[in-house]
Amino acid sequence: RQPLSLCVVGERLCSTEEATAGSGTYTRHGFIFSSLAGCLERKNEDNELPVVSVVRDSESQLLPNVGAVVTCKVCSINSRFAKVHILYVGSTPLKSTFRGTIRREDIRATEKDKVEVYKSFRPSDIVLAKVISLGDAQSNYLLSTAENELGVVVARSEAGVQMVPISWCEMQCPRTHTKEFRKVARVQPQFLQT
């Protein structure tokens, strides 16, 4: 192992011909960039290209990787996408939140052109989503809820009561019996947390 050097988000580390991208990095246009601020690590495997990773200081920070299922909270919505804060990767809480975006076309697998963001999510909803592309210094993680298991898992009604899912596209307030549209997740037991 070489001595560690510090790098910042979005910093160009080396070309993809010199090394392989490890955790905490992403590749673009033949170069490896840092996707977080931390210490640069270069590990040499047998006769192969060294693996370049960026780790957070003493305790390395878990990062959302492509394909990971994440739990996030909706911050804001508009007609094209929902902005979220990623809180968990799998069942592990993150030390710092990451921003994510769920685009309209990534909400459902079918009838994508008919999807309306405000009928899928509302601010403060808790959503299970899958990471489909990594963010960089300027943008967010791109997330998808296009599988049945993904979507809203916790939502509060106007009355402030936790709503109950009644179908794949509706939740109901147990107090007022008002129904609201949501992209409801069919939650698998391993993702259920109290």
Side-chain angles (χ1 to χ4, degrees):
R1 274 195 185 189
Q2 294 179 332
L4 299 175
S5 63
L6 293 173
C7 52
V8 296
V9 175
E11 184 176 328
R12 189 162 94 179
L13 305 174
C14 61
S15 85
T16 49
E17 291 165 10
E18 299 169 56
T20 307
S23 61
T25 66
Y26 63 95
T27 56
R28 186 169 287 160
H29 306 305
F31 290 96
I32 299 174
F33 294 85
S34 170
S35 64
L36 63 150
C39 298
L40 180 62
E41 265 189 5
R42 208 180 258 265
K43 288 185 190 159
N44 287 43
E45 304 296 323
D46 320 320
N47 297 336
E48 291 185 27
L49 286 176
V51 177
V52 175
S53 308
V54 177
V55 291
R56 289 264 160 103
D57 31 28
S58 54
E59 32 190 50
S60 65
Q61 158 85 344
L62 182 69
L63 277 175
N65 286 323
V66 172
V69 173
V70 296
T71 305
C72 43
K73 183 174 185 174
V74 178
C75 304
S76 63
I77 57 173
N78 66 29
S79 60
R80 297 189 329 277
F81 51 79
K83 292 269 185 212
V84 300
H85 281 147
I86 300 171
L87 309 173
Y88 285 81
V89 173
S91 58
T92 310
L94 293 172
K95 292 182 187 74
S96 55
T97 54
F98 292 93
R99 289 197 305 250
T101 301
I102 305 170
R103 298 176 304 189
R104 197 181 86 154
E105 59 268 27
D106 297 324
I107 291 175
R108 279 206 323 240
T110 56
E111 299 183 322
K112 294 180 181 191
D113 52 331
K114 293 185 182 157
V115 173
E116 293 179 72
V117 177
Y118 75 94
K119 284 188 175 178
S120 304
F121 309 114
R122 298 275 171 88
S124 82
D125 284 357
I126 302 297
V127 175
L128 275 181
K130 189 172 267 185
V131 179
I132 53 174
S133 106
L134 298 181
D136 59 25
Q138 290 78 37
S139 71
N140 304 325
Y141 283 87
L142 279 183
L143 308 175
S144 165
T145 56
E147 294 169 37
N148 291 342
E149 289 72 38
L150 305 175
V152 176
V153 285
V154 179
R156 297 211 172 274
S157 66
E158 310 257 323
V161 181
Q162 187 167 325
M163 294 198 292
V164 180
I166 53 172
S167 76
W168 61 273
C169 64
E170 279 185 311
M171 288 182 138
Q172 187 171 28
C173 173
R175 186 183 295 161
T176 63
H177 302 294
T178 312
K179 295 176 185 175
E180 293 184 20
F181 286 108
R182 290 292 196 284
K183 195 298 182 182
V184 180
R186 189 177 72 209
V187 181
Q188 299 299 301
Q190 72 261 28
F191 292 124
L192 280 174
Q193 295 171 342
T194 48

